[in-house]
Amino acid sequence: MGSEHSDADGDDTTAMALKILVAGGFGVGKTTLVGAVSEIRPLRTEELLSEAGQSVDDTGGVDRKTTTTVAMDFGRITIRSGLSLYLFGTPGQNRFWFLWDELSRGALGAVVLADTRRLEDCFPAVDYFEHRHIPFVVAVNCFATARTYGAHEVSRALDLDRGTPVVLCDARDRDSGKEVLIRLVEYAGRMYTARLLDSVG
């Protein structure tokens, strides 16, 4: 995503739009997070879970889930004047991972949502972004029925690279989701600055 120029009342202003992915395992709250923070009506590509899908989708821990994202979710949030984020929620099941390469093209970074009841479900997303050197934060979606773990415990359990942020959040809450996105933008900014300095050093 690049810059957008507008001329309002004769003043030239530059607005920056950044692309962010929201990833994680099946049923972890990606669609909920995008919907909670988006200032526009979010685009959703959800379908009812089918009997055929039940044989390949692990619904343990999310037994009441009746729909699943089959392409992507899309939303937009303005973080501050001149800075907007375009949010792309990825599908969580293995059979839709072929979409990730296209969705991740041009992304500043990613939020990997995690559920401590099914922490292993976010390993594929963590591996994906680590191998492609895409900055990401892990956001632990704090479900009422899940045991509470600290950020350090989650970081150690996921064997995250040193410095990768882990934050606790409520995917249903707009302010909580916005804080996660701000942390990601700040972290990605530091990562890209460090890489730029290394390349010219």
Side-chain angles (χ1 to χ4, degrees):
M1 294 290 175
S3 297
E4 299 172 350
H5 299 275
S6 62
D7 189 358
D9 299 324
D11 294 328
D12 290 331
T13 58
T14 301
M16 181 176 289
L18 303 174
K19 181 179 183 181
I20 301 294
L21 299 188
V22 179
F26 175 69
V28 77
K30 300 180 295 295
T31 298
T32 300
L33 177 64
V34 172
V37 301
S38 181
E39 62 199 15
I40 62 172
R41 183 177 179 179
L43 169 68
R44 293 176 173 161
T45 57
E46 288 197 308
E47 296 291 342
L48 289 172
L49 289 172
S50 65
E51 290 186 15
Q54 288 175 0
S55 65
V56 292
D57 296 330
D58 179 10
T59 57
V62 286
D63 304 326
R64 291 183 291 178
K65 185 173 175 60
T66 59
T67 61
T68 185
T69 298
V70 296
M72 68 173 186
D73 300 310
F74 174 77
R76 186 190 72 211
I77 179 174
T78 301
I79 294 296
R80 57 172 172 74
S81 178
L83 177 60
S84 296
L85 304 182
Y86 290 143
L87 309 176
F88 292 81
T90 66
Q93 302 96 311
N94 300 14
R95 65 185 186 278
F96 295 124
W97 282 351
F98 67 92
L99 294 169
W100 284 36
D101 286 340
E102 190 63 34
L103 289 174
S104 65
R105 191 168 297 153
L108 173 79
V111 173
V112 176
L113 269 178
D115 178 352
T116 57
R117 300 169 302 178
R118 299 155 53 100
L119 198 57
E120 68 280 359
D121 288 0
C122 70
F123 273 114
V126 168
D127 288 343
Y128 182 91
F129 297 121
E130 282 185 346
H131 288 143
R132 287 159 181 79
H133 305 290
I134 298 174
F136 68 94
V137 301
V138 173
V140 180
N141 193 7
C142 297
F143 291 90
T145 57
R147 179 181 164 189
T148 302
Y149 292 89
H152 180 70
E153 293 175 286
V154 173
S155 179
R156 188 170 54 190
L158 293 175
D159 193 25
L160 297 176
D161 289 341
R162 185 175 180 179
T164 301
V166 176
V167 294
L168 307 182
C169 75
D170 181 344
R172 303 165 300 179
D173 183 77
R174 176 181 171 83
D175 289 338
S176 181
K178 187 174 180 180
E179 282 301 314
V180 170
L181 295 171
I182 290 172
R183 284 287 300 275
L184 171 61
V185 171
E186 291 174 345
Y187 174 64
R190 292 195 302 270
M191 291 290 290
Y192 284 116
T193 298
R195 290 174 190 172
L196 180 61
L197 292 175
D198 284 344
S199 68
V200 299

